[in-house]
């Protein structure tokens, strides 16, 4: 079977199914929960609330998130880490199946992390292409229907270099092409970090360059733009910049960047939160909704901005699971409302502990 732009279908899902999955992931009022922390990252997150990062605690924490009642009202899909894809609920149901039964779509992070880029001190390249075709076939067999790969771009005086942007874009496009060959929808994530003292204008300039490189590479490598999602950073002032841009300014800079770089064929843009305060991330999403209807759906694929409060409530105690789930449900509902342009401060100032 062949699809748009001559793609040959060899996986378990036809091209039109991938396009339908991509659209479902950005369906009305829904966004994605990123729960794909790698081992070092989940260790950091669990240790921060004084929980040991054992395999069982990682499983228990992910179970808390995934089995949150009615989460599918606001969450379309969940990104898992390799280990999690093979783990099971207390009742022995594999997580991908439990997520599907709950009405959400399971996905998988397939990159192997950002490593130092040889010859370019301070810059990083994301690895994981070797053997990826085989890993994707296995992930698909285990139930994943979409995938994610994150490139990490830092801003310093001399960085990012054009070489770093192009090398990461090339890898993102190689990954995306392999995903589509396997019938998985690729989420393409070029993250320009908010670390640094740069003004918002510099973040906008670099984000625009990074996204331009990504779409040039995707086009060159014949990726079907209708069967993928872009996961970008919002355009922000550097964390240590003395002047912090306001909410409206962030929304305008972020939208202008997308307008300049993202073809209309892409069904959706799902923002990462990148270490922003969770409520501020929701406010930014709400401010971006003023640009709707845009050529693409504007939604979220937050990790920390959805999970942080739930994690801090849980602290590894079974007695706290219900309250932690309420906190996750609440943040998901706020971000879904923000997508629809109907979030208001009052949703977060109702006196609840979360
Ligand atoms: C959940 O964190 C993801 C995995 O990070 P590591 O590979 O560093 O462990 C990360 O890619 C995440 O999906 C995105 O950055 C979005 O999460 P945030 O917290 O930025 O919204």
């Amino acid at each position: 079977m062949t699809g748009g732009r001559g793609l040959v279908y060899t996986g378990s899902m036809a091209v039109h199914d991938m396009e339908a999955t991509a659209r479902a992931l950005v369906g009305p009022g829904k966004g994605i929960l990123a729960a794909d922390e790698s081992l070092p990252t989940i260790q950091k997150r669990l240790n921060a609330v004084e929980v040991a990062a054992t395999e069982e605690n990682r499983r228990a924490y992910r179970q808390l998130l995934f089995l949150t009642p009615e989460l599918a009202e606001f969450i379309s899909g969940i990104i898992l880490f390799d280990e999690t894809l093979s783990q099971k609920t207390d009742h022995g149901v594999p997580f991908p199946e439990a997520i599907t039964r709950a009405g959400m779509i399971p996905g998988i992070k397939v990159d192997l992390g950002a490593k130092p880029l040889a010859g370019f001190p301070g810059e990083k390249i994301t690895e994981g292409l070797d053997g990826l075709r085989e890993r994707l076939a296995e992930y698909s067999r285990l139930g994943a229907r979409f995938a994610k790969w994150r490139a990490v771009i830092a801003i310093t005086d001399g960085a990012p270099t054009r070489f770093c942007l192009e090398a990461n874009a090339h890898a993102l496009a190689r990954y995306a092409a392999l995903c589509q060959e396997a019938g998985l929808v690729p989420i393409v994530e070029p993250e320009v970090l908010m670390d640094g003292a740069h003004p918002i204008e510099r973040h906008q300039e670099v984000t625009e360059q990074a996204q331009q490189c990504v779409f040039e590479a995707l086009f060159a490598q014949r990726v079907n733009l209708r069967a993928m999602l872009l996961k970008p950073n919002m355009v922000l002032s550097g964390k240590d910049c003395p002047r912090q841009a306001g909410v409206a300014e962030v929304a305008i800079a972020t939208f202008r960047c997308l307008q300049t770089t993202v073809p209309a064929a892409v069904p959706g843009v799902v923002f990462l939160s990148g270490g922003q305060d969770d409520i501020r991330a929701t406010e930014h999403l709400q401010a971006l909704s003023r640009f709707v209807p845009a050529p693409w759906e504007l939604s979220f694929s937050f990790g920390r901005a959805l999970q942080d409060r739930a994690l801090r409530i849980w602290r590894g105690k079974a007695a706290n699971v219900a309250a932690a789930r309420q906190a996750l449900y609440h943040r998901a509902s706020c971000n879904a409302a923000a997508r629809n342009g109907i979030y208001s401060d009052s949703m977060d100032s109702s006196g609840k502990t979360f």
Side-chain angles (χ1 to χ4, degrees):
M1 186 187 291
T2 59
R5 302 191 60 221
L7 278 177
V8 178
Y9 164 60
T10 54
S12 61
M13 191 166 39
V15 168
H16 73 266
D17 286 343
M18 284 192 285
E19 294 182 4
T21 299
R23 286 196 304 272
L25 286 167
V26 289
K30 294 192 185 191
I32 297 170
L33 167 63
D36 58 311
E37 296 85 357
S38 56
L39 294 176
T41 306
I42 193 68
Q43 173 158 15
K44 203 161 89 185
R45 302 272 187 270
L46 293 179
N47 289 174
V49 295
E50 287 158 15
V51 174
T54 61
E55 185 177 347
E56 173 49 22
N57 285 342
R58 293 193 294 264
R59 189 200 66 84
Y61 176 59
R62 263 69 182 250
Q63 171 171 267
L64 176 163
L65 300 175
F66 306 162
L67 299 189
T68 295
E70 312 306 334
L71 193 60
E73 276 179 47
F74 310 116
I75 295 295
S76 55
I78 304 182
I79 316 175
L80 311 182
F81 176 62
D82 182 282
E83 169 188 78
T84 324
L85 200 67
S86 316
Q87 287 177 325
K88 297 180 177 164
T89 67
D90 290 348
H91 299 293
V93 181
F95 278 141
E97 194 181 324
I99 289 169
T100 306
R101 280 192 206 166
M104 298 173 283
I105 305 173
I108 176 78
K109 183 245 290 298
V110 304
D111 67 67
L112 298 181
K115 307 284 161 59
L117 178 63
F120 292 79
E123 297 196 279
K124 293 197 164 160
I125 179 76
T126 300
E127 296 189 346
L129 289 171
D130 288 351
L132 182 58
R133 177 176 276 127
E134 292 71 27
R135 284 198 292 129
L136 290 173
E138 177 63 3
Y139 292 143
S140 172
R141 194 186 66 73
L142 290 170
R145 290 174 54 201
F146 69 98
K148 196 204 83 175
W149 178 292
R150 170 171 170 252
V152 181
I153 312 293
I155 297 181
T156 62
D157 280 348
T161 60
R162 187 80 195 170
F163 182 85
C164 173
L165 293 178
E166 286 177 352
N168 275 293
H170 182 82
L172 274 165
R174 288 265 290 121
Y175 138 82
L178 283 162
C179 282
Q180 292 185 342
E181 181 190 83
L184 295 171
V185 172
I187 295 187
V188 172
E189 181 179 3
E191 177 174 3
V192 182
L193 300 174
M194 61 191 279
D195 300 337
H198 49 271
I200 187 169
E201 290 79 7
R202 174 81 174 129
H203 202 227
Q204 181 171 353
E205 175 188 50
V206 174
T207 301
E208 203 170 293
Q209 286 168 357
Q211 290 175 4
Q212 270 169 1
C213 285
V214 164
F215 280 102
E216 279 166 20
L218 290 169
F219 191 76
Q221 297 191 43
R222 301 185 175 178
V223 172
N224 177 357
L225 300 186
R226 295 178 197 284
M228 60 156 278
L229 298 174
L230 178 71
K231 177 165 172 169
N233 51 282
M234 294 175 183
V235 174
L236 306 163
S237 308
K239 221 162 45 186
D240 303 321
C241 179
R243 193 189 84 79
Q244 289 293 308
V247 171
E249 202 180 342
V250 166
I252 291 168
T254 303
F255 188 76
R256 284 202 178 143
C257 195
L258 299 174
Q259 255 186 334
T260 312
T261 63
V262 186
V266 175
V269 170
V270 291
F271 294 103
L272 59 92
S273 58
Q276 297 177 67
D277 169 82
D278 54 1
I279 292 178
R280 186 44 70 98
T282 307
E283 289 169 348
H284 286 150
L285 195 60
Q286 162 78 12
L288 276 154
S289 73
R290 69 180 262 211
F291 298 106
V292 172
W296 350 263
E297 295 294 332
L298 293 176
S299 186
F300 58 93
S301 173
F302 293 162
R304 285 161 287 183
L306 280 169
Q307 294 184 45
D308 272 1
R309 286 173 202 244
L311 178 62
R312 279 188 273 122
I313 290 170
W314 177 54
R315 306 186 85 87
K317 308 244 177 330
N320 297 337
V321 166
R325 284 181 171 154
Q326 269 188 314
L328 171 64
Y329 180 85
H330 178 71
R331 282 262 51 81
S333 73
C334 288
N335 287 304
R339 251 206 83 173
N340 291 333
I342 55 170
Y343 168 79
S344 74
D345 298 355
S346 61
M347 288 181 75
D348 271 314
S349 54
S350 56
K352 290 185 181 152
T353 46
F354 50 85

mmCIF file of all heavy atoms in Angstrom, residues 5 46 93 147 163 180 183 192 197 199 282 286 305-306 327 329 344:
data_model
loop_
_atom_site.group_PDB
_atom_site.id
_atom_site.type_symbol
_atom_site.label_atom_id
_atom_site.label_comp_id
_atom_site.label_asym_id
_atom_site.label_seq_id
_atom_site.Cartn_x
_atom_site.Cartn_y
_atom_site.Cartn_z
ATOM 1 N N ARG A 5 2.861 11.259 -0.818
ATOM 2 C CA ARG A 5 4.281 11.495 -1.086
ATOM 3 C C ARG A 5 5.038 10.178 -1.250
ATOM 4 O O ARG A 5 6.228 10.091 -0.981
ATOM 5 C CB ARG A 5 4.913 12.340 0.015
ATOM 6 C CG ARG A 5 4.201 13.673 0.171
ATOM 7 C CD ARG A 5 4.964 14.619 1.054
ATOM 8 N NE ARG A 5 6.283 14.890 0.484
ATOM 9 C CZ ARG A 5 7.378 14.962 1.205
ATOM 10 N NH1 ARG A 5 7.340 14.758 2.488
ATOM 11 N NH2 ARG A 5 8.520 15.222 0.623
ATOM 12 N N LEU A 46 11.889 11.285 41.765
ATOM 13 C CA LEU A 46 11.446 10.519 42.941
ATOM 14 C C LEU A 46 12.270 10.893 44.168
ATOM 15 O O LEU A 46 11.719 11.083 45.258
ATOM 16 C CB LEU A 46 11.528 9.010 42.667
ATOM 17 C CG LEU A 46 10.549 8.473 41.608
ATOM 18 C CD1 LEU A 46 10.748 6.973 41.408
ATOM 19 C CD2 LEU A 46 9.094 8.740 41.984
ATOM 20 N N VAL A 93 -2.360 -6.172 34.275
ATOM 21 C CA VAL A 93 -2.667 -5.692 32.924
ATOM 22 C C VAL A 93 -1.473 -4.863 32.423
ATOM 23 O O VAL A 93 -1.055 -3.918 33.103
ATOM 24 C CB VAL A 93 -3.943 -4.800 32.934
ATOM 25 C CG1 VAL A 93 -4.276 -4.322 31.521
ATOM 26 C CG2 VAL A 93 -5.100 -5.540 33.571
ATOM 27 N N ALA A 147 5.383 7.733 18.886
ATOM 28 C CA ALA A 147 6.723 7.745 19.486
ATOM 29 C C ALA A 147 7.179 9.183 19.706
ATOM 30 O O ALA A 147 6.543 10.132 19.224
ATOM 31 C CB ALA A 147 7.698 7.008 18.584
ATOM 32 N N PHE A 163 25.848 23.835 12.932
ATOM 33 C CA PHE A 163 26.128 22.396 12.801
ATOM 34 C C PHE A 163 25.297 21.595 13.804
ATOM 35 O O PHE A 163 24.725 20.551 13.466
ATOM 36 C CB PHE A 163 27.630 22.102 13.008
ATOM 37 C CG PHE A 163 27.926 20.649 12.821
ATOM 38 C CD1 PHE A 163 28.159 20.135 11.551
ATOM 39 C CD2 PHE A 163 27.927 19.771 13.897
ATOM 40 C CE1 PHE A 163 28.381 18.775 11.367
ATOM 41 C CE2 PHE A 163 28.146 18.415 13.727
ATOM 42 C CZ PHE A 163 28.377 17.909 12.450
ATOM 43 N N GLN A 180 7.406 6.250 10.812
ATOM 44 C CA GLN A 180 6.293 6.118 9.853
ATOM 45 C C GLN A 180 6.401 4.813 9.069
ATOM 46 O O GLN A 180 5.390 4.191 8.749
ATOM 47 C CB GLN A 180 6.246 7.342 8.941
ATOM 48 C CG GLN A 180 5.835 8.590 9.722
ATOM 49 C CD GLN A 180 5.639 9.825 8.873
ATOM 50 O OE1 GLN A 180 6.106 9.890 7.737
ATOM 51 N NE2 GLN A 180 4.964 10.828 9.431
ATOM 52 N N GLY A 183 4.733 2.385 11.111
ATOM 53 C CA GLY A 183 3.318 2.639 11.409
ATOM 54 C C GLY A 183 3.096 3.409 12.701
ATOM 55 O O GLY A 183 1.985 3.458 13.218
ATOM 56 N N VAL A 192 14.474 23.968 22.684
ATOM 57 C CA VAL A 192 15.465 25.008 22.962
ATOM 58 C C VAL A 192 15.269 25.379 24.427
ATOM 59 O O VAL A 192 14.210 25.870 24.827
ATOM 60 C CB VAL A 192 15.278 26.240 22.045
ATOM 61 C CG1 VAL A 192 16.358 27.274 22.349
ATOM 62 C CG2 VAL A 192 15.304 25.829 20.572
ATOM 63 N N ALA A 197 20.586 33.679 30.552
ATOM 64 C CA ALA A 197 20.145 35.040 30.886
ATOM 65 C C ALA A 197 19.717 35.801 29.638
ATOM 66 O O ALA A 197 19.557 37.023 29.658
ATOM 67 C CB ALA A 197 21.280 35.777 31.601
ATOM 68 N N PRO A 199 17.562 37.377 26.487
ATOM 69 C CA PRO A 199 16.210 37.932 26.395
ATOM 70 C C PRO A 199 15.328 37.067 25.497
ATOM 71 O O PRO A 199 15.833 36.222 24.750
ATOM 72 C CB PRO A 199 16.444 39.307 25.759
ATOM 73 C CG PRO A 199 17.698 39.157 24.974
ATOM 74 C CD PRO A 199 18.537 38.127 25.695
ATOM 75 N N THR A 282 0.095 26.916 31.976
ATOM 76 C CA THR A 282 -1.332 26.924 31.612
ATOM 77 C C THR A 282 -1.737 28.306 31.105
ATOM 78 O O THR A 282 -2.470 28.431 30.112
ATOM 79 C CB THR A 282 -2.200 26.543 32.837
ATOM 80 O OG1 THR A 282 -1.726 25.304 33.372
ATOM 81 C CG2 THR A 282 -3.656 26.396 32.452
ATOM 82 N N GLN A 286 -3.301 29.259 27.496
ATOM 83 C CA GLN A 286 -4.548 30.033 27.389
ATOM 84 C C GLN A 286 -4.325 31.249 26.480
ATOM 85 O O GLN A 286 -5.139 31.539 25.604
ATOM 86 C CB GLN A 286 -4.964 30.476 28.802
ATOM 87 C CG GLN A 286 -5.963 31.614 28.878
ATOM 88 C CD GLN A 286 -7.392 31.175 28.594
ATOM 89 O OE1 GLN A 286 -7.693 29.977 28.552
ATOM 90 N NE2 GLN A 286 -8.272 32.135 28.370
ATOM 91 N N ALA A 305 4.776 20.031 34.190
ATOM 92 C CA ALA A 305 3.646 20.935 34.462
ATOM 93 C C ALA A 305 2.340 20.171 34.697
ATOM 94 O O ALA A 305 1.369 20.740 35.182
ATOM 95 C CB ALA A 305 3.479 21.934 33.318
ATOM 96 N N LEU A 306 2.299 18.884 34.369
ATOM 97 C CA LEU A 306 1.125 18.071 34.727
ATOM 98 C C LEU A 306 1.381 17.260 35.991
ATOM 99 O O LEU A 306 0.481 17.027 36.787
ATOM 100 C CB LEU A 306 0.780 17.112 33.579
ATOM 101 C CG LEU A 306 -0.007 17.699 32.404
ATOM 102 C CD1 LEU A 306 -0.035 16.703 31.243
ATOM 103 C CD2 LEU A 306 -1.432 18.061 32.807
ATOM 104 N N ALA A 327 -5.030 15.835 41.920
ATOM 105 C CA ALA A 327 -4.167 16.950 41.482
ATOM 106 C C ALA A 327 -3.822 16.821 40.007
ATOM 107 O O ALA A 327 -3.833 17.814 39.270
ATOM 108 C CB ALA A 327 -2.893 16.983 42.337
ATOM 109 N N TYR A 329 -5.593 15.192 37.724
ATOM 110 C CA TYR A 329 -6.847 15.412 36.994
ATOM 111 C C TYR A 329 -7.128 16.920 36.884
ATOM 112 O O TYR A 329 -7.513 17.420 35.832
ATOM 113 C CB TYR A 329 -7.978 14.699 37.731
ATOM 114 C CG TYR A 329 -9.332 14.856 37.087
ATOM 115 C CD1 TYR A 329 -9.737 14.006 36.062
ATOM 116 C CD2 TYR A 329 -10.206 15.856 37.503
ATOM 117 C CE1 TYR A 329 -10.984 14.146 35.463
ATOM 118 C CE2 TYR A 329 -11.447 16.006 36.908
ATOM 119 C CZ TYR A 329 -11.833 15.150 35.895
ATOM 120 O OH TYR A 329 -13.063 15.305 35.306
ATOM 121 N N SER A 344 -9.548 30.084 33.592
ATOM 122 C CA SER A 344 -9.450 31.350 34.322
ATOM 123 C C SER A 344 -8.750 31.085 35.648
ATOM 124 O O SER A 344 -8.770 29.956 36.159
ATOM 125 C CB SER A 344 -10.830 31.953 34.558
ATOM 126 O OG SER A 344 -11.481 31.213 35.552
#
